[in-house]
Amino acid sequence: MVLNEISTMLRYLSKRNAALQGDYNSIVQILNKRHFSVRKKININCRCVSLSQKRRIGTENPSHIIKSKLQDIEIPNITITELLWEKVDKFADFTAIECGITGRKYTFAQIKKLSLRFAASLLKSGIKPGETVAIISQNCPEYPIVTYGCMEAGVVITLINYMYTPDEICHQLKDSGAVCIVSAASLINSAISAIGKVKESSKSNKPIKLLALDTIKEEIPSGVERFTEMIADDVDETKLFSLRPKAINTSDVSILPYSSGTTGLSKGVQLSHRNIVTNLLQLSAATDIIETTNDYQEIYPAILPFYHIYGFTTIMASCVYTGSKIVTLPKFEPNNFLNVLKTHKCSILNVVPPLILFLGSNETVKREHIQHVRYITNGAAPIGQIDVERLFQKIPKETNCVFQQGYGLTETSPLLCINVGNEDITAIGTPVVNTLLKVVNVEDGGSLGPGLNGEICAKGPQVMLGYHNNSKATSATIDSEGWFHTGDIGYYNNNGRLFIVDRIKELIKVKGFQVPPAELEEHLRSIPGVKDAGVVGVPDKRTGEAPIAFVVQTSKNPATKDDIKSFISQKVAPYKQLADIVFVDSIPKSASGKILRRNIKDMYLKAVSN
């Protein structure tokens, strides 16, 4: 019946658009193949509603609402630090965090004590509750002390990518209204330059305080206060509550990370204490992380940046809640990363696709590096079945290592779904507790049943309060019924398990048909001789857009263009075939592992125009 309905619709569409007529027969042939999965391979919507347009509220079928398979839990009305400090006494003398390079470390008891000292010093320096403090730093053992200290002081934290240029830092400082920057000593010059740019472009003469996150008495410019002095033994943390007499409201904004989206400048995402507390409890209910005992402690390598919500919630905050040990690395450097995995016998890996590709494909990664790993979570971007299987060939079977896909966004603190188990690793799983999901038609907003591609929408106490200083973007993302529109295209099966197809704005429109780049990328990475790949759509006079593949070849037996075209021709419909293949040394990606398609597209169009 489904095939007949799609065939009828295609006939209707082809009559309306002559450009589709030539593809009709080939599409029907593919539909009739026994192995063809309708829900994975075709999306018959011919256009997507812009996220900048007002959300339409379509017909909602209660049977189309997807709920967690676990029972909902009660969310306590407490702050993030109240939740974490409840657990700290249980693990007081265990190592909470250690630098994977220098060995500098703190116990859980020290994290709490130093956080309270920093909070008291921050308020004593003139920072007021409700104001915003920016953190610019690589991962280091002091990062959580600064973070939880700010929370105890009642100030909002805006997390800044340490790789940003002064211009990018300036935008975030201005938009967030930050009155203070806590900067790694090595990044002080960038912070000073950004402050200068704020003064040049702003009418306000209000100064921005600068604190150096120093650890070994590094040389810093005069007039810059030192973090080490703000947590010194002579700081009386008991003065905190007289300096901050008002209790912190759990609905207040706690952190203000910035989400880049697919177009325009990044937007501040307002996450409250309740948002993060909820997500920590949701994560705990969904996973099998062992709370620290006298005999056992989970160990996480922290290669995911703490400024990103994925690393912030699922490593930095979650590990305090479970008593797990964090081993920090300032950046990804293969030898240091592998040394940490081996030396510290890491048991939990929270990673992104590039790290899975590295662990599975790099010849320097041996059994000894990952023999203690028992849990691997992939997030931030989809990963293919073949890439995961390649990694698991190196992991000893006796460890019974579990792989899971997580799904979420900065706007959802981040976790929405998790897929635990190795049965179908391409799924993003089912909703976490206290969360509702649905898939809607991108044309009319109506809810869709199983197997139909549409936009994934979510409701739950982990969904952001809104975008900072941007009510227009907020109303375009959260509709009048409270559903958050993710901008991701996906579908769910009869068991309520979700699958991601692609981003709405990343779909390539070929003769009116939508081509998900992620689908082509997974096929490309499965080709012998292909190490990595990225696909973008470029303007085409005949088809509207055309898919172009950027491919990184392996050093041994690299795949040729003919190899790739021959392989892809057997895997996808005619309208999904690659118009061109470009060999490159690497695929541009963000710190969280997402392919920077705009960069690839701009690079290609510039090369063509020349």
Side-chain angles (χ1 to χ4, degrees):
M1 182 177 176
V2 172
L3 293 180
N4 289 336
E5 289 176 353
I6 294 176
S7 296
T8 300
M9 192 170 295
L10 286 172
R11 287 192 185 95
Y12 171 70
L13 291 172
S14 64
K15 288 178 181 178
R16 292 183 60 189
N17 187 345
L20 297 177
Q21 190 70 48
D23 288 303
Y24 171 75
N25 291 333
S26 60
I27 294 169
V28 172
Q29 287 175 9
I30 296 169
L31 286 171
N32 289 329
K33 287 184 179 180
R34 291 177 61 187
H35 68 272
F36 185 81
S37 171
V38 173
R39 63 177 181 269
K40 286 188 178 180
K41 301 296 184 181
I42 189 166
N43 185 334
I44 55 179
N45 296 316
C46 283
R47 69 178 180 88
C48 291
V49 175
S50 168
L51 292 184
S52 63
Q53 294 176 7
K54 186 176 180 179
R55 292 290 180 184
R56 296 183 183 180
I57 307 300
T59 305
E60 186 172 288
N61 186 330
S63 67
H64 294 165
I65 304 298
I66 312 160
K67 300 179 181 179
S68 174
K69 296 185 181 297
L70 301 175
Q71 186 174 353
D72 282 353
I73 59 175
E74 184 177 348
I75 308 300
N77 187 35
I78 56 178
T79 66
I80 297 167
T81 49
E82 285 172 338
L83 177 74
L84 300 182
W85 298 158
E86 282 180 357
K87 293 290 194 80
V88 160
D89 290 341
K90 296 174 66 175
F91 328 119
D93 296 327
F94 281 84
T95 299
I97 192 164
E98 178 176 340
C99 176
I101 306 298
T102 67
R104 193 174 67 258
K105 56 188 175 182
Y106 300 94
T107 65
F108 287 95
Q110 289 173 319
I111 291 288
K112 179 180 178 180
K113 187 177 187 67
L114 297 178
S115 296
L116 295 175
R117 285 183 184 175
F118 183 69
S121 294
L122 202 61
L123 294 175
K124 194 173 181 180
S125 73
I127 304 299
K128 297 180 176 59
E131 292 186 319
T132 299
V133 171
I135 304 177
I136 311 174
S137 175
Q138 304 94 333
N139 287 2
C140 65
E142 292 72 28
Y143 205 113
I145 296 172
V146 174
T147 299
Y148 302 140
C150 287
M151 289 179 180
E152 283 288 0
V155 304
V156 178
I157 310 151
T158 188
L159 309 170
I160 298 182
N161 185 337
Y162 67 86
M163 294 182 286
Y164 272 3
T165 65
D167 284 324
E168 291 170 311
I169 296 171
C170 172
H171 163 67
Q172 192 162 331
L173 293 176
K174 287 173 61 180
D175 189 72
S176 66
V179 299
C180 174
I181 302 174
V182 182
S183 170
S186 61
L187 301 170
I188 283 290
N189 289 336
S190 291
I192 292 173
S193 178
I195 291 172
K197 289 179 179 294
V198 172
K199 290 180 179 179
E200 290 173 5
S201 59
S202 175
K203 295 179 181 179
S204 174
N205 293 320
K206 188 174 182 179
I208 297 177
K209 182 186 291 290
L210 182 57
L211 308 177
L213 185 53
D214 61 324
T215 56
I216 52 173
K217 294 296 181 182
E218 299 96 329
E219 285 192 21
I220 59 173
S222 60
V224 177
E225 296 183 47
R226 291 182 178 272
F227 166 78
T228 49
E229 295 175 354
M230 301 180 78
I231 60 167
D233 290 340
D234 60 354
V235 176
D236 184 0
E237 66 270 16
T238 62
K239 299 289 187 182
L240 169 63
F241 303 104
S242 61
L243 292 166
R244 193 210 73 202
K246 184 180 177 182
I248 298 170
N249 189 323
T250 60
S251 297
D252 287 345
V253 178
S254 173
I255 64 170
L256 191 66
Y258 272 64
S259 176
S260 59
T262 54
T263 59
L265 293 172
S266 56
K267 301 183 289 294
V269 177
Q270 297 175 317
L271 297 176
S272 68
H273 285 273
R274 183 169 175 78
N275 288 148
I276 302 297
V277 166
T278 295
N279 218 222
L280 287 170
L281 296 177
Q282 290 170 324
L283 178 63
S284 177
T287 56
D288 187 27
I289 304 303
I290 300 171
E291 189 173 281
T292 292
T293 67
N294 289 332
D295 302 316
Y296 184 79
Q297 185 181 32
E298 303 277 25
I299 302 174
Y300 289 66
I303 193 66
L304 298 179
F306 291 153
Y307 68 75
H308 191 281
I309 193 64
Y310 183 14
F312 183 95
T313 300
T314 71
I315 297 181
M316 194 181 78
S318 176
C319 285
V320 177
Y321 185 70
T322 59
S324 303
K325 176 182 175 180
I326 300 172
V327 183
T328 64
L329 286 167
K331 62 180 180 179
F332 177 72
E333 196 286 318
N335 290 336
N336 288 338
F337 179 53
L338 293 179
N339 182 59
V340 164
L341 291 179
K342 179 182 176 180
T343 304
H344 292 271
K345 300 179 180 180
C346 296
S347 58
I348 311 291
L349 299 183
N350 284 8
V351 293
V352 291
L355 285 174
I356 292 179
L357 295 175
F358 167 75
L359 291 169
S361 303
N362 193 288
E363 295 177 355
T364 63
V365 181
K366 307 295 183 185
R367 175 190 174 108
E368 63 192 29
H369 295 118
I370 49 182
Q371 63 181 335
H372 299 285
V373 175
R374 68 178 201 89
Y375 242 94
I376 301 174
T377 300
N378 176 66
I383 188 72
Q385 179 96 19
I386 292 173
D387 299 318
V388 177
E389 290 173 352
R390 191 179 293 127
L391 169 57
F392 267 72
Q393 289 173 2
K394 297 184 177 183
I395 299 175
K397 291 184 178 180
E398 57 267 25
T399 63
N400 295 315
C401 182
V402 173
F403 177 84
Q404 59 189 20
Q405 293 265 30
Y407 169 68
L409 303 92
T410 302
E411 290 87 344
T412 57
S413 303
L415 192 61
L416 283 176
C417 287
I418 201 160
N419 182 34
V420 180
N422 299 345
E423 292 181 3
D424 188 352
I425 61 177
T426 62
I428 58 169
T430 54
V432 292
V433 296
N434 300 59
T435 301
L436 301 178
L437 295 177
K438 66 177 180 178
V439 175
V440 302
N441 187 301
V442 294
E443 287 287 337
D444 59 23
S447 60
L448 300 173
L452 298 175
N453 285 345
E455 184 181 13
I456 297 172
C457 301
K459 259 187 185 181
Q462 73 271 47
V463 174
M464 68 171 180
L465 302 177
Y467 291 115
H468 181 67
N469 289 337
N470 201 331
S471 58
K472 183 179 179 181
T474 300
S475 61
T477 307
I478 301 177
D479 66 34
S480 60
E481 294 183 356
W483 286 97
F484 169 70
H485 291 246
T486 66
D488 287 319
I489 294 292
Y491 66 91
Y492 62 97
N493 62 19
N494 290 324
N495 296 321
R497 188 166 291 198
L498 273 90
F499 297 79
I500 293 291
V501 175
D502 223 315
R503 291 286 296 171
I504 284 179
K505 290 190 176 183
E506 291 181 351
L507 292 172
I508 303 166
K509 298 176 187 176
V510 180
K511 293 186 177 180
F513 290 100
Q514 294 175 340
V515 179
E519 178 188 351
L520 288 171
E521 287 160 0
E522 184 173 351
H523 285 309
L524 287 165
R525 286 195 296 267
S526 71
I527 300 173
V530 171
K531 185 177 181 181
D532 200 2
V535 175
V536 297
V538 299
D540 185 274
K541 291 181 180 179
R542 187 177 66 88
T543 61
E545 282 189 306
I548 306 295
F550 285 71
V551 173
V552 179
Q553 298 166 293
T554 57
S555 56
K556 295 180 180 179
N557 302 317
T560 65
K561 287 189 177 184
D562 287 341
D563 294 335
I564 295 169
K565 287 185 176 181
S566 175
F567 184 92
I568 295 296
S569 68
Q570 301 174 46
K571 294 292 183 180
V572 298
Y575 67 91
K576 294 183 181 180
Q577 298 300 317
L578 297 171
D580 196 6
I581 298 167
V582 180
F583 292 120
V584 294
D585 294 330
S586 63
I587 303 298
K589 294 179 181 179
S590 69
S592 63
K594 292 181 180 178
I595 294 175
L596 299 175
R597 301 189 198 279
R598 281 183 293 174
N599 295 26
I600 299 175
K601 188 172 182 177
D602 291 345
M603 181 172 61
Y604 180 83
L605 294 175
K606 184 177 180 180
V608 171
S609 64
N610 292 335

